[in-house]
Amino acid sequence: MTVTDANYSTANGAGCTATDNATITEPAAISLVVNGDAILCNGDADGNVSGTVSGGTFPYTVTLSGDASDTQTVTTDGGSYDFTNLSGGSYTVTVTDANYSTANGAGCTATDNATITEPAAITVSITATDVTCHDAGDGSVAVTGTNYTSLTLYTNGTAGTPVTTSASPYTFENLGPGRSEERRVGGG
């Protein structure tokens, strides 16, 4: 860039001038990585959306919005972010950097989506068949249900051997008298 004063003549190039160079730079584009982790059981709120952000100009403002939660915001100087205790559903992560203006919505921003999956609900129905005679040991408990991966029969508060199955119905046989109940372990 060249600067001249009032004595400078464009006709012959004579007069006072000063020259200097300037370089206009730009930050790297914002890079946003988003991961959604599934919840453990249907109806829980133990999912999370996490990831990393780089590029642009820090600090960054990372905002999470979704159909199952209120908007949450964190500020970071780069690196990682983590939103926890989320329900299953679809989420949008938006990051803005230090050059973003909330007044006019202009500046550097990046957006990505994450889905937190939720397993199907476990359903179960239990039917007991009584023993035929005193001390006969021919009773049974039939379990009918969906979306389970293993069953454990508890008799009088004592756990039996877990059975890995998704078969429905499944029958525990050769049971003696006593209070029995089925507990589901694992999910859909």
Side-chain angles (χ1 to χ4, degrees):
M1 171 182 263
T2 301
V3 178
T4 62
D5 68 4
N7 296 322
Y8 182 77
S9 169
T10 56
N12 62 14
C16 300
T17 65
T19 303
D20 199 358
N21 295 321
T23 303
I24 297 174
T25 63
E26 67 178 344
I30 295 175
S31 174
L32 176 63
V33 176
V34 177
N35 302 303
D37 293 329
I39 61 175
L40 184 59
C41 296
N42 184 279
D44 283 355
D46 59 358
N48 75 315
V49 171
S50 61
T52 58
V53 60
S54 61
T57 304
F58 62 84
Y60 307 100
T61 300
V62 184
T63 303
L64 176 79
S65 57
D67 55 331
S69 73
D70 295 329
T71 300
Q72 299 179 40
T73 301
V74 296
T75 301
T76 178
D77 285 340
S80 62
Y81 62 89
D82 194 14
F83 297 100
T84 59
N85 300 319
L86 302 173
S87 300
S90 298
Y91 295 87
T92 300
V93 176
T94 303
V95 62
T96 56
D97 74 355
N99 294 322
Y100 184 80
S101 169
T102 56
N104 62 14
C108 303
T109 185
T111 301
D112 202 353
N113 298 307
T115 300
I116 296 178
T117 58
E118 178 174 28
I122 296 173
T123 62
V124 67
S125 174
I126 302 170
T127 304
T129 302
D130 293 333
V131 295
T132 55
C133 298
H134 183 75
D135 289 334
D138 60 355
S140 64
V141 173
V143 179
T144 304
T146 59
N147 304 315
Y148 55 80
T149 56
S150 67
L151 303 168
T152 302
L153 181 70
Y154 286 72
T155 304
N156 297 326
T158 302
T161 303
V163 177
T164 302
T165 183
S166 58
S168 182
Y170 182 84
T171 303
F172 293 92
E173 298 176 326
N174 302 317
L175 303 175
R179 187 186 65 134
S180 297
E181 57 188 72
E182 180 274 336
R183 302 273 171 102
R184 289 137 351 255
V185 180

